[in-house]
PDB file of all heavy atoms in Angstrom:
ATOM      1  N   ASP A   1       0.825  -1.166  -0.033  1.00  0.00           N
ATOM      2  CA  ASP A   1      -0.052  -0.008   0.030  1.00  0.00           C
ATOM      3  C   ASP A   1       0.804   1.275  -0.046  1.00  0.00           C
ATOM      4  O   ASP A   1       0.614   2.219  -0.753  1.00  0.00           O
ATOM      5  CB  ASP A   1      -0.921   0.035   1.135  1.00  0.00           C
ATOM      6  CG  ASP A   1      -1.926  -1.081   1.170  1.00  0.00           C
ATOM      7  OD1 ASP A   1      -2.319  -1.441   0.031  1.00  0.00           O
ATOM      8  OD2 ASP A   1      -2.480  -1.516   2.235  1.00  0.00           O
ATOM      9  N   LEU A   2       1.847   1.267   0.815  1.00  0.00           N
ATOM     10  CA  LEU A   2       2.785   2.448   0.878  1.00  0.00           C
ATOM     11  C   LEU A   2       3.612   2.601  -0.414  1.00  0.00           C
ATOM     12  O   LEU A   2       3.716   3.712  -0.867  1.00  0.00           O
ATOM     13  CB  LEU A   2       3.716   2.382   2.101  1.00  0.00           C
ATOM     14  CG  LEU A   2       4.787   3.507   2.289  1.00  0.00           C
ATOM     15  CD1 LEU A   2       4.058   4.852   2.359  1.00  0.00           C
ATOM     16  CD2 LEU A   2       5.596   3.155   3.516  1.00  0.00           C
ATOM     17  N   ARG A   3       4.042   1.508  -0.977  1.00  0.00           N
ATOM     18  CA  ARG A   3       4.881   1.612  -2.216  1.00  0.00           C
ATOM     19  C   ARG A   3       3.900   2.171  -3.307  1.00  0.00           C
ATOM     20  O   ARG A   3       4.324   2.991  -4.106  1.00  0.00           O
ATOM     21  CB  ARG A   3       5.292   0.172  -2.595  1.00  0.00           C
ATOM     22  CG  ARG A   3       6.331   0.233  -3.817  1.00  0.00           C
ATOM     23  CD  ARG A   3       6.850  -1.165  -4.048  1.00  0.00           C
ATOM     24  NE  ARG A   3       5.789  -2.010  -4.533  1.00  0.00           N
ATOM     25  CZ  ARG A   3       5.302  -3.066  -3.835  1.00  0.00           C
ATOM     26  NH1 ARG A   3       5.723  -3.354  -2.662  1.00  0.00           N
ATOM     27  NH2 ARG A   3       4.377  -3.795  -4.400  1.00  0.00           N
ATOM     28  N   HIS A   4       2.688   1.623  -3.492  1.00  0.00           N
ATOM     29  CA  HIS A   4       1.780   2.178  -4.483  1.00  0.00           C
ATOM     30  C   HIS A   4       1.427   3.617  -4.259  1.00  0.00           C
ATOM     31  O   HIS A   4       1.260   4.361  -5.248  1.00  0.00           O
ATOM     32  CB  HIS A   4       0.511   1.350  -4.483  1.00  0.00           C
ATOM     33  CG  HIS A   4       0.782  -0.156  -4.905  1.00  0.00           C
ATOM     34  ND1 HIS A   4       1.743  -0.476  -5.658  1.00  0.00           N
ATOM     35  CD2 HIS A   4       0.091  -1.220  -4.511  1.00  0.00           C
ATOM     36  CE1 HIS A   4       1.761  -1.828  -5.847  1.00  0.00           C
ATOM     37  NE2 HIS A   4       0.730  -2.332  -5.141  1.00  0.00           N
ATOM     38  N   PHE A   5       1.240   3.949  -2.991  1.00  0.00           N
ATOM     39  CA  PHE A   5       0.954   5.450  -2.640  1.00  0.00           C
ATOM     40  C   PHE A   5       2.105   6.292  -3.130  1.00  0.00           C
ATOM     41  O   PHE A   5       1.866   7.327  -3.705  1.00  0.00           O
ATOM     42  CB  PHE A   5       0.735   5.534  -1.142  1.00  0.00           C
ATOM     43  CG  PHE A   5       0.634   6.999  -0.732  1.00  0.00           C
ATOM     44  CD1 PHE A   5      -0.560   7.681  -0.922  1.00  0.00           C
ATOM     45  CD2 PHE A   5       1.738   7.598  -0.042  1.00  0.00           C
ATOM     46  CE1 PHE A   5      -0.604   8.973  -0.545  1.00  0.00           C
ATOM     47  CE2 PHE A   5       1.601   8.827   0.463  1.00  0.00           C
ATOM     48  CZ  PHE A   5       0.447   9.620   0.225  1.00  0.00           C
ATOM     49  N   MET A   6       3.336   5.906  -2.757  1.00  0.00           N
ATOM     50  CA  MET A   6       4.523   6.640  -3.094  1.00  0.00           C
ATOM     51  C   MET A   6       4.668   6.698  -4.613  1.00  0.00           C
ATOM     52  O   MET A   6       5.037   7.820  -5.221  1.00  0.00           O
ATOM     53  CB  MET A   6       5.692   6.097  -2.467  1.00  0.00           C
ATOM     54  CG  MET A   6       5.780   6.196  -0.920  1.00  0.00           C
ATOM     55  SD  MET A   6       7.173   5.429  -0.288  1.00  0.00           S
ATOM     56  CE  MET A   6       8.579   6.449  -0.900  1.00  0.00           C
ATOM     57  N   PHE A   7       4.425   5.652  -5.323  1.00  0.00           N
ATOM     58  CA  PHE A   7       4.481   5.555  -6.764  1.00  0.00           C
ATOM     59  C   PHE A   7       3.520   6.657  -7.374  1.00  0.00           C
ATOM     60  O   PHE A   7       3.881   7.383  -8.265  1.00  0.00           O
ATOM     61  CB  PHE A   7       4.128   4.132  -7.314  1.00  0.00           C
ATOM     62  CG  PHE A   7       4.075   4.028  -8.819  1.00  0.00           C
ATOM     63  CD1 PHE A   7       5.189   3.708  -9.444  1.00  0.00           C
ATOM     64  CD2 PHE A   7       2.978   4.323  -9.551  1.00  0.00           C
ATOM     65  CE1 PHE A   7       5.256   3.552 -10.908  1.00  0.00           C
ATOM     66  CE2 PHE A   7       2.948   4.238 -10.893  1.00  0.00           C
ATOM     67  CZ  PHE A   7       4.162   3.779 -11.640  1.00  0.00           C
ATOM     68  N   HIS A   8       2.308   6.691  -6.893  1.00  0.00           N
ATOM     69  CA  HIS A   8       1.261   7.567  -7.377  1.00  0.00           C
ATOM     70  C   HIS A   8       1.710   9.006  -7.188  1.00  0.00           C
ATOM     71  O   HIS A   8       1.620   9.903  -8.016  1.00  0.00           O
ATOM     72  CB  HIS A   8      -0.022   7.377  -6.721  1.00  0.00           C
ATOM     73  CG  HIS A   8      -1.159   8.300  -7.067  1.00  0.00           C
ATOM     74  ND1 HIS A   8      -1.695   8.341  -8.290  1.00  0.00           N
ATOM     75  CD2 HIS A   8      -1.659   9.323  -6.359  1.00  0.00           C
ATOM     76  CE1 HIS A   8      -2.658   9.361  -8.324  1.00  0.00           C
ATOM     77  NE2 HIS A   8      -2.589   9.882  -7.153  1.00  0.00           N
ATOM     78  N   LYS A   9       2.280   9.355  -6.032  1.00  0.00           N
ATOM     79  CA  LYS A   9       2.625  10.712  -5.574  1.00  0.00           C
ATOM     80  C   LYS A   9       3.923  11.212  -6.427  1.00  0.00           C
ATOM     81  O   LYS A   9       4.009  12.427  -6.659  1.00  0.00           O
ATOM     82  CB  LYS A   9       2.942  10.837  -4.145  1.00  0.00           C
ATOM     83  CG  LYS A   9       1.706  10.656  -3.260  1.00  0.00           C
ATOM     84  CD  LYS A   9       0.699  11.855  -3.456  1.00  0.00           C
ATOM     85  CE  LYS A   9      -0.518  11.762  -2.574  1.00  0.00           C
ATOM     86  NZ  LYS A   9      -1.429  12.976  -2.884  1.00  0.00           N
ATOM     87  N   LEU A  10       4.736  10.274  -6.700  1.00  0.00           N
ATOM     88  CA  LEU A  10       6.135  10.657  -7.418  1.00  0.00           C
ATOM     89  C   LEU A  10       6.100  10.480  -8.861  1.00  0.00           C
ATOM     90  O   LEU A  10       6.872  11.161  -9.558  1.00  0.00           O
ATOM     91  CB  LEU A  10       7.260   9.877  -6.786  1.00  0.00           C
ATOM     92  CG  LEU A  10       7.485  10.002  -5.233  1.00  0.00           C
ATOM     93  CD1 LEU A  10       8.508   9.025  -4.730  1.00  0.00           C
ATOM     94  CD2 LEU A  10       7.958  11.474  -5.134  1.00  0.00           C
ATOM     95  N   SER A  11       5.197   9.763  -9.428  1.00  0.00           N
ATOM     96  CA  SER A  11       5.196   9.482 -10.879  1.00  0.00           C
ATOM     97  C   SER A  11       4.915  10.693 -11.727  1.00  0.00           C
ATOM     98  O   SER A  11       5.182  10.755 -12.890  1.00  0.00           O
ATOM     99  CB  SER A  11       4.295   8.301 -11.154  1.00  0.00           C
ATOM    100  OG  SER A  11       2.959   8.583 -10.868  1.00  0.00           O
ATOM    101  N   GLY A  12       4.327  11.712 -11.177  1.00  0.00           N
ATOM    102  CA  GLY A  12       3.974  12.823 -11.972  1.00  0.00           C
ATOM    103  C   GLY A  12       5.245  13.689 -12.276  1.00  0.00           C
ATOM    104  O   GLY A  12       5.326  14.333 -13.287  1.00  0.00           O
ATOM    105  N   GLU A  13       6.192  13.575 -11.404  1.00  0.00           N
ATOM    106  CA  GLU A  13       7.512  14.350 -11.615  1.00  0.00           C
ATOM    107  C   GLU A  13       8.759  13.452 -11.993  1.00  0.00           C
ATOM    108  O   GLU A  13       9.634  13.949 -12.542  1.00  0.00           O
ATOM    109  CB  GLU A  13       7.806  15.059 -10.214  1.00  0.00           C
ATOM    110  CG  GLU A  13       8.917  16.020 -10.308  1.00  0.00           C
ATOM    111  CD  GLU A  13       8.933  16.921  -9.029  1.00  0.00           C
ATOM    112  OE1 GLU A  13       7.907  17.047  -8.474  1.00  0.00           O
ATOM    113  OE2 GLU A  13      10.157  17.524  -8.879  1.00  0.00           O
ATOM    114  N   PHE A  14       8.613  12.201 -11.755  1.00  0.00           N
ATOM    115  CA  PHE A  14       9.672  11.282 -12.089  1.00  0.00           C
ATOM    116  C   PHE A  14       9.283  10.029 -12.881  1.00  0.00           C
ATOM    117  O   PHE A  14       8.081   9.617 -12.815  1.00  0.00           O
ATOM    118  CB  PHE A  14      10.443  10.843 -10.839  1.00  0.00           C
ATOM    119  CG  PHE A  14      10.904  11.956  -9.901  1.00  0.00           C
ATOM    120  CD1 PHE A  14      10.071  12.406  -8.878  1.00  0.00           C
ATOM    121  CD2 PHE A  14      12.111  12.552 -10.144  1.00  0.00           C
ATOM    122  CE1 PHE A  14      10.463  13.315  -7.938  1.00  0.00           C
ATOM    123  CE2 PHE A  14      12.498  13.664  -9.279  1.00  0.00           C
ATOM    124  CZ  PHE A  14      11.742  13.989  -8.283  1.00  0.00           C
ATOM    125  N   GLU A  15      10.104   9.400 -13.605  1.00  0.00           N
ATOM    126  CA  GLU A  15       9.884   8.028 -14.089  1.00  0.00           C
ATOM    127  C   GLU A  15      10.096   7.133 -13.050  1.00  0.00           C
ATOM    128  O   GLU A  15      11.312   6.774 -12.657  1.00  0.00           O
ATOM    129  CB  GLU A  15      10.682   7.833 -15.279  1.00  0.00           C
ATOM    130  CG  GLU A  15      10.367   6.442 -15.999  1.00  0.00           C
ATOM    131  CD  GLU A  15      11.352   6.253 -17.161  1.00  0.00           C
ATOM    132  OE1 GLU A  15      11.654   7.237 -17.827  1.00  0.00           O
ATOM    133  OE2 GLU A  15      11.664   5.053 -17.444  1.00  0.00           O
ATOM    134  N   VAL A  16       9.054   6.489 -12.453  1.00  0.00           N
ATOM    135  CA  VAL A  16       9.261   5.619 -11.228  1.00  0.00           C
ATOM    136  C   VAL A  16       9.150   4.127 -11.565  1.00  0.00           C
ATOM    137  O   VAL A  16       8.103   3.772 -12.337  1.00  0.00           O
ATOM    138  CB  VAL A  16       8.176   6.094 -10.257  1.00  0.00           C
ATOM    139  CG1 VAL A  16       8.328   5.305  -8.896  1.00  0.00           C
ATOM    140  CG2 VAL A  16       8.256   7.582  -9.910  1.00  0.00           C
ATOM    141  N   SER A  17      10.001   3.404 -10.999  1.00  0.00           N
ATOM    142  CA  SER A  17       9.915   1.945 -10.994  1.00  0.00           C
ATOM    143  C   SER A  17       9.881   1.432  -9.452  1.00  0.00           C
ATOM    144  O   SER A  17      10.167   2.195  -8.599  1.00  0.00           O
ATOM    145  CB  SER A  17      11.053   1.314 -11.765  1.00  0.00           C
ATOM    146  OG  SER A  17      12.304   1.704 -11.232  1.00  0.00           O
ATOM    147  N   GLU A  18       9.583   0.142  -9.255  1.00  0.00           N
ATOM    148  CA  GLU A  18       9.281  -0.370  -7.973  1.00  0.00           C
ATOM    149  C   GLU A  18      10.061  -1.654  -7.745  1.00  0.00           C
ATOM    150  O   GLU A  18      10.314  -2.353  -8.654  1.00  0.00           O
ATOM    151  CB  GLU A  18       7.777  -0.604  -7.758  1.00  0.00           C
ATOM    152  CG  GLU A  18       6.882   0.503  -8.019  1.00  0.00           C
ATOM    153  CD  GLU A  18       5.462   0.121  -7.916  1.00  0.00           C
ATOM    154  OE1 GLU A  18       5.033  -0.346  -6.913  1.00  0.00           O
ATOM    155  OE2 GLU A  18       4.764   0.400  -8.898  1.00  0.00           O
ATOM    156  N   ALA A  19      10.379  -1.862  -6.460  1.00  0.00           N
ATOM    157  CA  ALA A  19      10.935  -3.118  -5.947  1.00  0.00           C
ATOM    158  C   ALA A  19      10.342  -3.318  -4.465  1.00  0.00           C
ATOM    159  O   ALA A  19      10.084  -2.448  -3.825  1.00  0.00           O
ATOM    160  CB  ALA A  19      12.467  -3.074  -5.917  1.00  0.00           C
ATOM    161  N   CYS A  20      10.296  -4.675  -4.229  1.00  0.00           N
ATOM    162  CA  CYS A  20       9.664  -4.992  -2.952  1.00  0.00           C
ATOM    163  C   CYS A  20      10.629  -5.242  -1.723  1.00  0.00           C
ATOM    164  O   CYS A  20      10.202  -5.382  -0.684  1.00  0.00           O
ATOM    165  CB  CYS A  20       8.875  -6.265  -3.166  1.00  0.00           C
ATOM    166  SG  CYS A  20       7.467  -6.051  -4.401  1.00  0.00           S
ATOM    167  N   ASP A  21      11.900  -5.378  -2.144  1.00  0.00           N
ATOM    168  CA  ASP A  21      12.995  -5.672  -1.107  1.00  0.00           C
ATOM    169  C   ASP A  21      14.339  -5.206  -1.750  1.00  0.00           C
ATOM    170  O   ASP A  21      14.466  -5.007  -2.908  1.00  0.00           O
ATOM    171  CB  ASP A  21      12.970  -7.075  -0.572  1.00  0.00           C
ATOM    172  CG  ASP A  21      13.171  -8.121  -1.629  1.00  0.00           C
ATOM    173  OD1 ASP A  21      14.112  -7.902  -2.450  1.00  0.00           O
ATOM    174  OD2 ASP A  21      12.359  -9.034  -1.637  1.00  0.00           O
ATOM    175  N   GLY A  22      15.287  -5.171  -0.924  1.00  0.00           N
ATOM    176  CA  GLY A  22      16.636  -4.837  -1.332  1.00  0.00           C
ATOM    177  C   GLY A  22      17.217  -5.702  -2.340  1.00  0.00           C
ATOM    178  O   GLY A  22      17.946  -5.379  -3.324  1.00  0.00           O
ATOM    179  N   LYS A  23      17.033  -6.994  -2.215  1.00  0.00           N
ATOM    180  CA  LYS A  23      17.589  -7.993  -3.212  1.00  0.00           C
ATOM    181  C   LYS A  23      16.977  -7.712  -4.582  1.00  0.00           C
ATOM    182  O   LYS A  23      17.722  -7.722  -5.519  1.00  0.00           O
ATOM    183  CB  LYS A  23      17.184  -9.459  -2.766  1.00  0.00           C
ATOM    184  CG  LYS A  23      17.794 -10.472  -3.665  1.00  0.00           C
ATOM    185  CD  LYS A  23      17.471 -11.861  -3.154  1.00  0.00           C
ATOM    186  CE  LYS A  23      18.021 -12.943  -4.068  1.00  0.00           C
ATOM    187  NZ  LYS A  23      17.577 -14.323  -3.582  1.00  0.00           N
ATOM    188  N   GLN A  24      15.690  -7.601  -4.743  1.00  0.00           N
ATOM    189  CA  GLN A  24      15.183  -7.206  -6.020  1.00  0.00           C
ATOM    190  C   GLN A  24      15.544  -6.017  -6.534  1.00  0.00           C
ATOM    191  O   GLN A  24      15.843  -5.722  -7.706  1.00  0.00           O
ATOM    192  CB  GLN A  24      13.577  -7.263  -5.909  1.00  0.00           C
ATOM    193  CG  GLN A  24      12.924  -7.150  -7.261  1.00  0.00           C
ATOM    194  CD  GLN A  24      11.319  -7.015  -7.125  1.00  0.00           C
ATOM    195  OE1 GLN A  24      10.846  -6.573  -6.158  1.00  0.00           O
ATOM    196  NE2 GLN A  24      10.662  -7.422  -8.121  1.00  0.00           N
ATOM    197  N   ALA A  25      15.775  -4.911  -5.611  1.00  0.00           N
ATOM    198  CA  ALA A  25      16.112  -3.639  -5.993  1.00  0.00           C
ATOM    199  C   ALA A  25      17.591  -3.684  -6.542  1.00  0.00           C
ATOM    200  O   ALA A  25      17.766  -3.058  -7.622  1.00  0.00           O
ATOM    201  CB  ALA A  25      16.171  -2.681  -4.788  1.00  0.00           C
TER     202      ALA A  25
END
C-alpha cells in the first residue's frame, strides 16, 4: 500500500519503478 501510494505521488514528476525488497532492488 505504501509503495503504491509513493508511486502515485512521485510518478507525476519522475519516471518511477518499484521493488519489494533490497535484493530485487
